[in-house]
Amino acid sequence: MDESAWATLKRAAGEARGNAYAPYSSFAVGAAVLSESGRVFTGCNVENASYGATICAERAALSAAVTAGERELVALVIVSGAKSAIPPCGICRQSLAEHGPALAIRSYAGEAQSDYELSALLPEAFGRRHLD
Ligand code: THU
């Protein structure tokens, strides 16, 4: 992916982070995904008084993409305010693997930046084929 595409996703994720609902952790996260067809979808974390009901920014963005009819994702940007760039959590890795096993991931936290590839973050992912 070229740098301008990453910049577009970073801007979108940063904007989404502004809507994060994180009254319990005060850890606001924004995410933006790029679908195979070139569309961008965003999400933020949405916490809940029943803590386990919290949804992460990455799964919120994934849900927005699927809701719009997209199936395959090619890139994901995460924006947080952490001390260092954060990788997606385990639940998000599993959810994302179904829609982009080779997903390119870039995470920003202030000046910090890290790049990941989903297949390296979740090798041997359980998937649809295992249900056969
Ligand atoms: N969170 C995300 O939205 N994405 C991540 O990659 C890590 C964690 C959220 C969940 C919760 O609302 C808060 O950050 C603290 O874990």
Side-chain angles (χ1 to χ4, degrees), residues 55-120:
I55 182 164
C56 292
E58 295 90 327
R59 273 175 294 138
L62 167 64
S63 296
V66 172
T67 300
E70 299 293 342
R71 288 289 184 267
E72 287 301 311
L73 305 180
V74 295
L76 161 70
V77 162
I78 302 164
V79 174
S80 75
K83 287 202 187 87
S84 55
I86 60 165
C89 82
I91 297 173
C92 289
R93 293 178 198 194
Q94 177 64 29
S95 293
L96 290 164
E98 187 133 342
H99 299 277
L103 191 69
I105 301 172
R106 183 166 283 187
S107 184
Y108 297 95
E111 298 300 305
Q113 176 189 317
S114 290
D115 288 312
Y116 310 96
E117 199 200 290
L118 187 57
S119 58

Side-chain angles (χ1 to χ4, degrees), residues 30-41:
V33 292
L34 178 67
S35 70
E36 206 173 35
S37 63
R39 298 163 77 194
V40 174
F41 300 90

Side-chain angles (χ1 to χ4, degrees), residues 12-21 28-30 43-44:
E15 215 169 280
R17 181 172 179 252
N19 291 326
Y21 178 71
V29 184
C44 62

